[in-house]
Amino acid sequence: MKDLFGREITYLRISVTDRCNFRCSYCMPSEGICKLKHEDILRNEEIVEIVKEMALHGISKIRLTGGEPLIRKGIVDLVREIKQIEGISEITMTTNGYFLEKMLDDLVDAGLDRVNISIDSLKPQRFETITRGGKLDVVLNAIDAAYNSKLRKVKLNTVLIGGFNDDEIEDFVDITKSRNIDVRFIELMPIGVAADWSKDKFVSNDLVLEKASELKPIDYFDKSSPASYYQKEGNLGLVGLINPISCNFCSNCNRIRLTSDGKIKPCLHSDEEIDLLDVIRNHPEDVGDVIKQGVINKPKEHHINDSDFIPIMRDMNKIGG
Ligand code: SAM
Ligand code: SF4
């Protein structure tokens, strides 16, 4: 499936739930969310049908995200069923890691290929503060377990927040020293609750290169990856910088999103959504056409840096970061 700008769309990120056991302060309001009704959420079999149709149109890579994907009932079965779909070559997950260790064997057995684990501080108290109650040791144990499992790759996602964790950059880079784990710093995006945050919290990833000056850029084969990669000589893992704000990667974007309430989102930074829930339930014969419409509607680029940019309203937990 090519969009209007010639980009081949091969990657679908599915938010399987808007619920989460954490309340990261840049992602979810402290009081939690107004939960979607059960009947307004795509059922597993509907997600599988949509992925089958997408695979016919060239989608080959799936990422399950959320909310927290591991709290969705039947998530292991969903991984297994998606993995078996013809044309799907890879299924991955982004998780906060809290339930990962105990579910790991089942997920690997179901065919999960890789995992990204989000972790914004290596200091227990800070971790608890940013997640509003999360326990760091549980997530660190999950990272160890994932690294020692049969998963093909473990990556860590760290959102850089000015005045909060920018003094931990070197500690995060050190994780790549003796283990082939990639640490990716993500610039904070003005989405949902974070849209109202003060300017000083939005720091550029350039800070990573200033603080960890021994990092050297490396050639990375995947042009559609939003990260540019660096490595410290002698270290096993890579350091990725994901700079949606200071340097956009829209021209190589190969992804679309599906929300848990069945909306296709052609672009993370646009409020444009195309409803698939009603279509799959009442007009299943039209699913393919609606998917194509979602791809055609993909905008050329985001406009976060424009002075008149209006932040999108859905919180990140409802989109799937
Ligand atoms: N709960 C899972 C997790 O935390 O990994 C998956 C969903 S979470 C929404 C996916 C990713 O989005 C996480 O790495 C999170 O840090 C990131 N994220 C959430 N809100 C963000 C924001 N405003 N700016 C940048 N990244 C954000
Ligand atoms: Fe939950 Fe992930 Fe959002 Fe944190 S970033 S509140 S773990 S969905």
Side-chain angles (χ1 to χ4, degrees):
M1 264 187 306
K2 275 204 171 125
D3 71 3
L4 286 181
F5 306 98
R7 294 171 295 194
E8 195 75 56
I9 307 303
T10 55
Y11 180 17
L12 172 67
R13 298 174 68 102
I14 308 174
S15 174
V16 294
T17 178
D18 59 334
R19 302 180 185 201
C20 188
N21 52 312
F22 287 178
R23 295 274 178 279
C24 299
S25 55
Y26 52 80
C27 177
M28 269 176 121
S30 55
E31 67 278 13
I33 48 162
C34 179
K35 291 172 187 154
L36 289 167
K37 284 194 241 142
H38 217 66
E39 63 266 28
D40 293 336
I41 292 181
L42 286 170
R43 297 188 282 267
N44 271 10
E45 58 271 25
E46 290 169 337
I47 295 178
V48 169
E49 280 313 306
I50 290 171
V51 175
K52 277 185 185 161
E53 190 66 39
M54 294 233 183
L56 291 176
H57 291 88
I59 293 288
S60 58
K61 183 175 157 189
I62 303 290
R63 175 169 298 276
L64 302 181
T65 175
E68 175 47 40
L70 292 180
I71 67 173
R72 179 171 166 133
K73 262 201 195 136
I75 188 72
V76 173
D77 293 336
L78 186 60
V79 169
R80 182 173 288 109
E81 285 176 53
I82 290 177
K83 180 71 180 205
Q84 285 165 3
I85 294 172
E86 203 179 326
I88 299 302
S89 58
E90 186 179 62
I91 177 156
T92 63
M93 183 179 284
T94 301
T95 169
N96 63 34
Y98 201 77
F99 299 110
L100 183 61
E101 193 176 0
K102 62 178 180 221
M103 297 174 76
L104 197 55
D105 289 346
D106 289 343
L107 288 164
V108 171
D109 181 62
L112 189 70
D113 289 294
R114 297 190 288 120
V115 76
N116 289 6
I117 302 173
S118 303
I119 178 165
D120 297 327
S121 177
L122 299 170
K123 298 181 190 290
Q125 189 51 54
R126 275 190 194 173
F127 185 84
E128 198 164 331
T129 303
I130 194 78
T131 55
R132 299 198 180 98
K135 298 280 173 253
L136 177 66
D137 57 337
V138 177
V139 176
L140 291 176
N141 288 341
I143 293 169
D144 288 347
Y147 185 63
N148 292 318
S149 75
K150 289 185 177 147
L151 289 174
R152 288 204 341 254
K153 185 79 196 176
V154 177
K155 295 181 185 175
L156 307 186
N157 285 350
T158 300
V159 176
L160 201 57
I161 304 167
F164 173 73
N165 61 1
D166 44 359
D167 59 343
E168 293 187 58
I169 289 173
E170 287 124 309
D171 298 339
F172 275 108
V173 171
D174 276 349
I175 293 176
T176 66
K177 200 170 183 174
S178 53
R179 291 190 289 180
N180 185 9
I181 290 178
D182 296 349
V183 173
R184 296 151 13 121
F185 293 96
I186 304 174
E187 286 178 346
L188 179 66
M189 291 180 271
I191 292 180
V193 277
D196 294 333
W197 278 25
S198 61
K199 290 251 177 309
D200 55 321
K201 299 240 179 6
F202 293 83
V203 285
S204 159
N205 262 338
D206 289 348
L207 191 63
V208 175
L209 300 177
E210 274 169 39
K211 293 223 176 182
S213 54
E214 305 97 326
L215 287 173
K216 298 277 174 284
I218 62 157
D219 274 339
Y220 196 66
F221 58 93
D222 184 1
K223 270 223 165 336
S224 63
S225 167
S228 45
Y229 278 98
Y230 297 78
Q231 194 167 31
K232 206 164 160 179
E233 208 183 323
N235 283 12
L236 294 182
L238 306 180
V239 172
L241 303 186
I242 302 182
N243 308 344
I245 310 292
S246 63
C247 160
N248 88 42
F249 35 77
C250 304
S251 58
N252 291 322
C253 185
N254 65 346
R255 61 194 61 189
I256 54 173
R257 291 175 153 79
L258 178 66
T259 64
S260 56
D261 55 348
K263 308 278 192 290
I264 298 180
K265 274 188 78 69
C267 172
L268 173 63
H269 299 290
S270 158
D271 270 326
E272 165 111 46
E273 297 179 345
I274 295 132
D275 185 39
L276 256 189
L277 189 86
D278 176 61
V279 180
I280 187 125
R281 289 187 184 168
N282 300 314
H283 311 281
E285 68 286 0
D286 293 341
V287 167
D289 285 343
V290 175
I291 289 170
K292 279 190 243 162
Q293 192 195 331
V295 166
I296 281 169
N297 280 12
K298 194 169 165 61
K300 186 171 178 217
E301 57 197 3
H302 71 62
H303 296 278
I304 305 181
N305 295 317
D306 294 2
S307 57
D308 56 353
F309 175 70
I310 302 169
I312 63 162
M313 299 319 293
R314 263 185 194 260
D315 285 326
M316 216 37 174
N317 67 294
K318 294 193 188 138
I319 302 171

